[in-house]
Amino acid sequence: MNYLIRSVRAAEWPAVKDLRLAALQDPVAHLAFLDSYDEAVVRSDSFWQERAEGACEGAEKAQQFVGIAADGVWAGTATVLLEEPGTTDWAGNRIEHRQGHVVGVYVRPEHRGKGLSEALFEAGTDWAQKAGVERMRLIVHEDNLRAQGLYRKLGFKPSGVTVPLGKGTDEAELEYVLERPV
């Protein structure tokens, strides 16, 4: 594997935007993200600047990690959000643990199968451990079998918690957890 793994920098918001737009054009984006390309592409520069700043190197509540290939291409990304006990998550569920919540996982197709996902998760887990988390978690669509396979390979296990996607659909997402990351 020939990737530099690091946190994004606030000034790199154009690259953060470009990689997110690429992710939202992936054939399984509708299963992987609670966002669409059509919504994201029209967002203002200030939106992308704030997004990068909120999860950049040195930010305390979130970190976005990027894998940069030898040719300078941003090949993949994963973001870790810190969640505190007593708060609620995006779906309105009560948070019971100090935990890292992995979101926004994406690796460009030509870089898959090369260990990049593993390296991104390792960086995210290391950062979250230093922040004192009890566990890591992520939410994955019940039909996103490719992602579920990766998460199992990385040691995450289904917790049994399901999150309905919303009114008018029977679809759900599944919580996967990695207890006491080491």
Side-chain angles (χ1 to χ4, degrees):
M1 182 184 78
N2 217 5
Y3 298 97
L4 170 64
I5 308 296
R6 64 167 175 80
S7 297
V8 301
R9 298 176 182 125
E12 295 173 321
W13 67 267
V16 168
K17 175 183 177 181
D18 289 345
L19 190 55
R20 179 65 173 189
L21 293 177
L24 293 172
Q25 293 178 76
D26 189 274
V28 297
H30 66 287
L31 298 178
F33 305 109
L34 297 175
D35 198 4
S36 75
Y37 177 84
D38 291 341
E39 293 167 339
V41 74
V42 296
R43 290 191 177 119
S44 68
D45 288 350
S46 64
F47 170 87
W48 296 104
Q49 291 164 353
E50 289 172 21
R51 183 178 181 124
E53 186 175 317
C56 72
E57 185 175 56
E60 294 181 8
K61 296 182 180 187
Q63 285 289 289
Q64 181 177 357
F65 297 92
V66 64
I68 303 171
D71 61 2
V73 169
W74 281 31
T77 187
T79 300
V80 179
L81 312 174
L82 292 182
E83 296 177 325
E84 299 294 338
T87 62
T88 55
D89 67 10
W90 60 271
N93 297 317
R94 184 170 169 76
I95 303 298
E96 302 292 334
H97 306 275
R98 180 168 173 78
Q99 60 194 9
H101 185 162
V102 183
V103 299
V105 177
Y106 176 70
V107 173
R108 293 181 189 273
E110 62 273 20
H111 294 276
R112 294 178 186 157
K114 299 179 180 180
L116 180 53
S117 295
E118 292 85 345
L120 290 166
F121 270 78
E122 182 178 338
T125 300
D126 288 349
W127 176 78
Q129 274 187 295
K130 290 175 185 164
V133 301
E134 298 171 36
R135 70 179 196 162
M136 299 290 288
R137 79 167 183 151
L138 53 84
I139 308 294
V140 60
H141 193 282
E142 62 190 351
D143 293 335
N144 194 343
L145 302 179
R146 181 181 78 197
Q148 289 179 42
L150 168 66
Y151 302 146
R152 282 190 170 100
K153 179 180 170 187
L154 295 171
F156 285 78
K157 294 179 174 46
S159 70
V161 172
T162 60
V163 179
L165 275 180
K167 295 177 183 175
T169 180
D170 292 333
E171 295 178 271
E173 295 198 314
L174 312 171
E175 179 186 64
Y176 275 56
V177 298
L178 178 64
E179 299 289 346
R180 304 263 181 224
V182 290

